[in-house]
Amino acid sequence: MDVGVARTFLEIVKTGSFVGAAANLNLTQTAVSARIRGLEMQLDRPLFTRNKAGARLTPAGEQFLRFATTMVQVWDRARQAVALPPGRDTVVTIGAELSLWSPLLRLWLIWMRRECPDIAVSTVIDSSDRLLDRVQEGSLDVAVIYAAPRLPGVVAELLFEEKLVLARTTPVSQTLAAEDHVQVDWGADFSAGYRAAFPDRPNAVVSIDYGPLALDYILATGGSGYFREGFIRSYLDEGRLAVVPDSPEFSYSAYVVHSATADAGVMERIRRGLRAASS
């Protein structure tokens, strides 16, 4: 199937109309309609229901959406691999969860620039579920995520083990109210462990799903929250934060995830860089 047709399908999904897709793709509405009509003939199923409000996916269209996305991503990956920058032997596409980019992936990029000048790098930030999907479908070489997946054809290697600790702003002599505690979203396992450890604690007034933002917030306003111990180490050393004594700690490990068929030589270089960045 023509990748251009898949792109047209995705643009209609994105804009919600054939007219919007035509404008964004610099095509006539007739051309867009013809592409989708041909695609529907190939699949022997209608993909959109059209009305005055725009275009809505049919159940068959919902099923096709994932495959169209994969087709476009794999094609873009193939084009990227073929059109290597001068002096580069290969390209590596790596993704990570948002909270893992600073400082891990930043340090890894610096290491790759210094130690692997022959490798071009493309980076992605996304949710763990989407990153895993892309590793499975082949549009992503490596993902760095929290929580080890159990998926066929995917290898998950422990990168580092870390603890989530309850930290508060200083001075510790200053009493903090219950509403000064910020709930940081560290995933389902942490949430379950937190609820078990603090069954009577009321829901937090402020909840933030990005650790660095939560840290900036409590440093500015005063408060407490659970944070990765390594991430807040400098603030602990400076005395701006203190770990709450006798508070529960939770395991929070990161994993390098890649296809079982990934190039072993390239993976070893990526792995060494990630270990250096996380040490």
Side-chain angles (χ1 to χ4, degrees), residues 24-231:
N24 288 351
L25 295 171
N26 294 317
L27 296 171
T28 65
Q29 188 176 345
T30 301
V32 169
S33 297
R35 287 185 177 186
I36 298 304
R37 188 163 53 250
L39 177 59
E40 289 176 330
M41 289 177 63
Q42 287 181 318
L43 296 172
D44 195 26
R45 293 289 187 279
L47 300 176
F48 292 99
T49 300
R50 300 172 65 175
N51 52 42
K52 291 182 179 179
R56 182 169 52 86
L57 285 171
T58 64
E62 294 281 1
Q63 290 292 322
F64 183 68
L65 177 59
R66 179 166 61 92
F67 296 101
T69 303
T70 299
M71 271 187 274
V72 171
Q73 288 176 341
V74 172
W75 174 250
D76 288 343
R77 175 77 193 283
R79 290 179 58 194
Q80 185 181 53
V82 170
L84 286 171
R88 280 6 183 220
D89 295 333
T90 189
V91 60
V92 167
T93 303
I94 185 169
E97 294 184 53
L98 181 60
S99 59
L100 276 163
W101 272 102
S102 179
L104 176 65
L105 265 293
R106 174 173 55 82
L107 295 174
W108 178 82
L109 284 168
I110 295 170
W111 187 92
M112 289 293 291
R113 180 183 176 90
R114 182 180 66 248
E115 302 293 336
C116 301
D118 56 318
I119 297 179
V121 177
S122 177
T123 60
V124 176
I125 300 174
D126 212 331
S127 67
S128 60
D129 289 344
R130 186 66 198 124
L131 292 171
L132 287 173
D133 285 344
R134 293 192 59 179
V135 169
Q136 278 196 302
E137 71 197 17
S139 64
L140 194 66
D141 290 311
V142 180
V144 184
I145 63 172
Y146 290 113
R150 294 175 178 82
L151 297 171
V154 171
V155 177
E157 304 175 21
L158 178 67
L159 179 59
F160 61 81
E161 291 183 285
E162 193 164 24
K163 293 185 295 185
L164 293 173
V165 297
L166 181 58
R168 57 154 294 161
T169 49
T170 54
V172 294
S173 58
Q174 179 181 350
T175 302
L176 295 177
E179 65 184 26
D180 294 323
H181 179 77
V182 175
Q183 187 70 31
V184 186
D185 182 5
W186 295 110
D189 289 345
F190 167 75
S191 295
Y194 179 86
R195 287 194 299 270
F198 301 99
D200 300 323
R201 180 169 289 185
N203 290 337
V205 175
V206 177
S207 298
I208 300 176
D209 68 354
Y210 182 43
L213 174 59
L215 179 60
D216 287 345
Y217 176 79
I218 71 162
L219 288 172
T221 64
S224 64
Y226 270 92
F227 297 97
R228 295 176 3 236
E229 187 177 38
F231 180 68

Side-chain angles (χ1 to χ4, degrees), residues 221-240:
T221 64
S224 64
Y226 270 92
F227 297 97
R228 295 176 3 236
E229 187 177 38
F231 180 68
I232 62 170
R233 174 54 55 194
S234 62
Y235 298 94
L236 295 171
D237 293 341
E238 293 168 6
R240 298 180 66 189

